[in-house]
Amino acid sequence: MGVRVIDWEGDWRGHALLLDQTLLPLECVELSVSDVQSMHDCIRRLAVRGAPAIGVAAGFGVCLSLRTLSTENVSQALVRVEQACALLARSRPTAVNLFWALERMLQHARAIAPACENAVRFAQRLLEEARAIQREDAAACQRMGELGAELLRDGMTVLTHCNAGALATAGVGTALAPIYVAKSQGKHVRVYADETRPLLQGARLTAWELQTQGIEVTLITDNMAGRVMFEGRIDAVIVGADRIARHGDVCNKIGTYSVATLAAAHGIPFYVVAPLSTFDARIPDGSHIHIEERQPEEITEGFGRRTAPPGVRTYNPAFDVTPARLVRAIVTEAGVIHTPDEARVSALLRSAGRLG
Ligand code: MRU
């Protein structure tokens, strides 16, 4: 995309780099993040957002706890890692990629600690693990793009919700990856982007990202989705996910469930594109997902201008759950799960070594 979304600069004493997504599309500002608390705050305030990117940020966040090591031994460094994981786990509750990445870093830290000759080597090896998470996410995005592009024909128009593109990952994105791959194959695919109230990830991020990538994009407000489907403008819906349960229920940005319901009412296929790191094999269905609730100001005075009377009661869940029965297919880097249910999701996770 010509901009770095998330990266690490330097050796184990270096720092993380994030594109501040709260400022897009007006400004492209790269943030240098050098301590765990700052990474926690960046995740919390959505400077870095999107489930896979949050996972990569968590990996780098753990490494930030070790960059100031001086005379500590490996056991003391391990305590820092444990404390960093505990803090980062409190940043946002819904995207499972955060917890997946923290668990991976913590397990790795505990496994390598006894064999590390000193704390510097320990820090170096943890940075290698965080970089592996970043690399694997980029590869997964590319593969999901290739598999998802097979669902897209030349001339199709797709509706998407929120931002599940390059800005949400370490690679070319999840939901937008098939569109990019289809373009590289010479297919012309148009996109309708839902604005995505209240934080406008569709307007601020998806519209900007697709424009910069030369994809024909039309921005609509969320409440127009039904109308554009009724008018026959949409051939498929493609979205990303923040957590997918064993039965195939999909948690994603608030409003996704409405779009899926509308798609079903109009006979339009509803596809989800998500890496294996977004599956939560521990939970059977969507009712077990902790839905983040955010501040009332996002609704009453979004982007600094008050649009509701002072003191009005609000409810601001940031995500919702689309039941598996509304999902035509889930595209992962390990294959496509058609008409997902527990048997099919478990079979794919098992074949990919993600389920015992
Ligand atoms: O609150 P956000 O912007 O982090 O929500 C992001 C989404 O809901 C995305 O659709 C999801 O994380 C998939 S990103 C590839």
Side-chain angles (χ1 to χ4, degrees), residues 46 49-52 54 92 161-165 168-169 173-175 201 240-242 252-253 292 318-319:
L46 274 57
R49 33 70 51 204
I54 291 172
R92 293 188 78 187
H161 190 74
C162 195
N163 173 267
T169 66
T174 58
Q201 287 93 332
D242 287 85
N252 192 48
K253 178 53 56 190
E292 177 181 13
F319 299 93

Side-chain angles (χ1 to χ4, degrees), residues 3 14 46 84 134 158 249 299:
V3 288
L46 274 57
Q134 178 190 26
V158 163
D249 294 347
I299 297 181

Side-chain angles (χ1 to χ4, degrees), residues 1 27 35 43 68 129 165 188 190 195 226 235 306 325 327:
M1 249 193 336
E27 285 177 77
D35 61 85
I43 296 172
T68 54
E129 189 68 5
H188 185 70
R190 296 181 193 82
E195 173 185 51
D235 301 303
R306 178 161 275 282
R325 66 183 157 76
V327 179

Side-chain angles (χ1 to χ4, degrees), residues 210-223:
L210 290 174
Q211 268 189 347
T212 62
Q213 296 308 299
I215 304 280
E216 192 180 321
V217 55
T218 303
L219 179 64
I220 56 170
T221 61
D222 298 346
N223 50 355

Side-chain angles (χ1 to χ4, degrees), residues 21 43 46 48-54 92 95 97 137 141 144 160-169 173-176 196 199 201 204-205 239-243 251-254 256 273-275 278 292 294 318-319:
Q21 299 196 26
I43 296 172
L46 274 57
V48 59
R49 33 70 51 204
I54 291 172
R92 293 188 78 187
N97 307 60
D137 185 55
C141 288
M144 289 185 285
T160 192
H161 190 74
C162 195
N163 173 267
L167 289 169
T169 66
T174 58
L176 300 189
T196 317
L199 293 182
Q201 287 93 332
R204 295 186 303 104
L205 308 178
V239 298
D242 287 85
R243 196 183 286 236
C251 179
N252 192 48
K253 178 53 56 190
I254 190 74
T256 303
V273 185
T278 300
E292 177 181 13
R294 295 183 64 87
F319 299 93

